[in-house]
């Protein structure tokens, strides 16, 4: 195969990618005559499991894609006439009244916006092109009737053959280079967020570890005798471990509560002023206030600080640090799960 042809070995600009593609190509050429093209026995054993997983994946994509497409189209319609300041008002109010509950999630979003959003956005746009291409190809494939018997070909295939057909369709439709670049961009953005969270909340982890170390001595004095009475003698060697990790768990919980109080005050002030400034610009834009610009009044500052005080009261005294009250706790349950997952990644 000549060097000037547009082959997979010279599509990639990165020399490492070209080297990898060339190596794979040599392996494929060398394996063409081996065992009549049959797959290894170990792979054959895994094939039923891979078939089940592939069927589940295609089913999820098939079910989710129409909903995602409709949601994206609706968002584009709303985004066409809704001004940016309206989004800022909603964002600011969310920070003001809920920022303390989701301190790590807010920090992750801000870090993502600063470090990885531009790259991830372009990656997701490129990835969506492949999703749409696969969806269109799959829709056309479901209608094919090559033997002209009036029944779609896909309805006459076994589950294994259907999986192979759909996998082949996916591999022939998707641009592998674009797919890998998109996934790499998303991955690097997420890794950057986790790194930023580790740095930002290192003090919280250090505070929890320090408190836990100081709790171990009194815990050993008062808790060890109790555990010695409760546990059978053959398990007494675990008492020290239980006390150690129990103290660290309690200390980390206390440290996160302290961090949540600080984040509550900070997010309430920051979010309320964002919402107030954006609301003032909207009122000026739509002639609700007859002033030249935001610098001609202090109304937004007054509204912002009143909102800040209300947000702090709502989060610290109104519903407490445990989280939003019913029914907000149900609505915000997915965010609560995300918050605890991010806290776990931050600590470990």
């Amino acid at each position: 195969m000549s060097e000037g042809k547009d082959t997979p070995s010279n599509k990639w600009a990165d020399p490492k990618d070209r080297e990898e593609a060339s190596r794979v190509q040599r392996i494929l050429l060398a394996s063409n005559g081996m065992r009549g093209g049959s797959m290894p026995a170990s792979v054959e054993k895994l094939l039923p499991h891979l078939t089940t997983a592939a069927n589940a994946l295609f089913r999820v994509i098939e079910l989710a894609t129409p909903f995602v497409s409709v949601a994206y189209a609706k968002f584009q319609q709303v985004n066409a006439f809704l001004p940016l300041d309206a989004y800022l008002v909603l964002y600011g109010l969310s920070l003001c009244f809920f920022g303390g509950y989701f301190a790590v999630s807010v920090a992750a979003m801000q870090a993502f916006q600063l470090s990885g959003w531009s790259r991830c956005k372009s990656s997701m746009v490129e990835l969506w092109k492949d999703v749409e291409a696969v969806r269109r190809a799959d829709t056309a494939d479901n209608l094919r009737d090559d033997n002209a018997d009036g029944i779609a070909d896909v309805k006459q295939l076994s589950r294994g053959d259907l999986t192979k057909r759909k996998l082949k369709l996916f591999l022939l439709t998707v641009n592998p280079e674009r797919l890998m670049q998109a996934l790499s961009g998303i991955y690097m953005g997420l890794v950057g967020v986790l790194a930023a969270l580790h740095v930002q909340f290192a003090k919280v982890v250090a505070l929890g570890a320090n408190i836990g170390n100081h709790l171990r001595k009194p815990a050993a004095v008062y808790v060890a005798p109790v555990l010695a009475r409760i546990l059978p003698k053959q398990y007494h060697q675990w008492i020290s471990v239980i006390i150690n990790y129990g103290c660290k768990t309690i200390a980390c919980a206390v440290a996160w509560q302290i961090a949540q109080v600080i984040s509550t005050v900070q997010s309430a002030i920051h979010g309320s002023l964002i919402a107030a400034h954006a609301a003032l610009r909207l009122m000026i834009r739509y002639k609700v206030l007859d002033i030249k610009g935001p610098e001609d009044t202090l109304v937004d500052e007054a509204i912002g600080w009143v909102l800040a005080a209300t947000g702090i009261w709502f989060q610290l005294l109104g519903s407490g640090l445990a989280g939003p009250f019913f029914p907000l706790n149900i609505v915000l349950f997915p965010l609560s799960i995300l918050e605890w997952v991010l806290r776990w990644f931050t600590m470990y």
Side-chain angles (χ1 to χ4, degrees):
M1 188 173 290
S2 63
E3 294 291 335
K5 291 183 180 180
D6 185 19
T7 63
S9 60
N10 59 21
K11 281 184 178 180
W12 286 274
D14 191 339
K16 292 183 178 180
D17 289 334
R18 290 200 302 269
E19 182 182 354
E20 176 67 21
S22 178
R23 179 166 57 249
V24 171
Q25 206 170 33
R26 291 196 302 269
I27 294 172
L28 292 177
L29 289 174
S31 64
N32 278 341
M34 295 177 58
R35 298 178 59 183
S38 61
M39 64 181 66
S42 58
V43 178
E44 289 183 352
K45 292 180 180 180
L46 291 175
L47 189 58
H49 305 287
L50 295 175
T51 299
T52 303
N55 283 331
L57 177 61
F58 280 115
R59 184 60 178 167
V60 169
I61 294 175
E62 183 181 0
L63 292 175
T65 300
F67 293 101
V68 175
S69 300
V70 171
Y72 182 73
K74 294 295 183 182
F75 172 76
Q76 291 289 75
Q77 293 176 3
V78 173
N79 191 51
F81 66 89
L82 198 63
L84 175 62
D85 284 326
Y87 288 109
L88 290 177
V89 170
L90 295 176
Y91 171 68
L93 291 176
S94 300
L95 273 184
C96 179
F97 289 97
F98 302 104
Y101 299 137
F102 309 106
V104 184
S105 301
V106 171
M109 181 183 64
Q110 293 172 345
F112 183 69
Q113 184 179 10
L114 292 174
S115 62
W117 166 242
S118 58
R119 183 173 182 177
C120 281
K121 180 181 178 182
S122 60
S123 298
M124 287 187 288
V125 169
E126 293 299 318
L127 192 59
W128 185 252
K129 293 179 182 178
D130 282 330
V131 171
E132 284 291 315
V134 171
R135 187 177 68 85
R136 290 193 298 269
D138 182 63
T139 301
D141 184 62
N142 290 337
L143 300 176
R144 288 183 59 179
D145 184 16
D146 293 341
N147 56 8
D149 61 353
I151 303 175
D153 295 340
V154 294
K155 295 182 178 180
Q156 304 179 49
L157 298 175
S158 64
R159 178 177 295 182
D161 291 336
L162 180 62
T163 300
K164 293 178 183 178
R165 180 186 178 110
K166 294 301 182 182
L167 182 59
K168 180 181 178 181
L169 176 73
F170 173 82
L171 295 175
L172 293 177
T173 304
V174 170
N175 184 324
E177 181 182 359
R178 185 169 62 191
L179 176 64
M180 293 308 299
Q181 289 178 348
L183 294 178
S184 175
I186 295 173
Y187 172 76
M188 293 304 297
L190 296 179
V191 168
V193 169
L194 292 177
L197 291 179
H198 275 289
V199 173
Q200 185 169 348
F201 290 95
K203 291 182 179 180
V204 178
V205 178
L207 177 62
N210 193 27
I211 295 175
N213 289 331
H214 288 293
L215 286 177
R216 291 178 66 179
K217 183 177 180 180
V221 173
Y222 292 102
V223 178
V226 177
L227 292 177
R229 289 176 175 269
I230 296 175
L231 296 175
K233 189 173 182 179
Q234 61 266 31
Y235 299 125
H236 282 187
Q237 67 269 22
W238 289 96
I239 291 178
S240 177
V241 176
I242 294 172
I243 292 175
N244 182 17
Y245 283 95
C247 289
K248 288 183 178 179
T249 301
I250 295 172
C252 285
V254 172
W256 277 112
Q257 292 295 312
I258 296 172
Q260 186 172 335
V261 172
I262 297 173
S263 178
T264 294
V265 176
Q266 182 181 3
S267 62
I269 295 174
H270 182 57
S272 62
L273 292 176
I274 289 177
H277 295 161
L280 179 63
R281 290 192 295 269
L282 285 175
M283 288 188 286
I284 295 174
R285 176 178 178 176
Y286 293 106
K287 308 298 182 183
V288 177
L289 290 179
D290 189 16
I291 57 176
K292 294 182 179 179
E295 64 277 358
D296 296 334
T297 181
L298 292 177
V299 172
D300 54 337
E301 299 292 332
I303 294 175
W305 286 103
V306 171
L307 276 176
T310 306
I312 294 172
W313 174 88
F314 176 80
Q315 295 183 75
L316 296 183
L317 302 176
S319 57
L321 293 174
F325 51 79
F326 180 83
L328 290 176
N329 57 347
I330 298 177
V331 177
L332 298 174
F333 182 68
L335 276 178
S336 300
I337 295 178
L338 175 63
E339 176 72 12
W340 284 108
V341 169
L342 289 175
R343 289 189 183 188
W344 188 87
F345 275 111
T346 302
M347 293 176 62
Y348 301 102

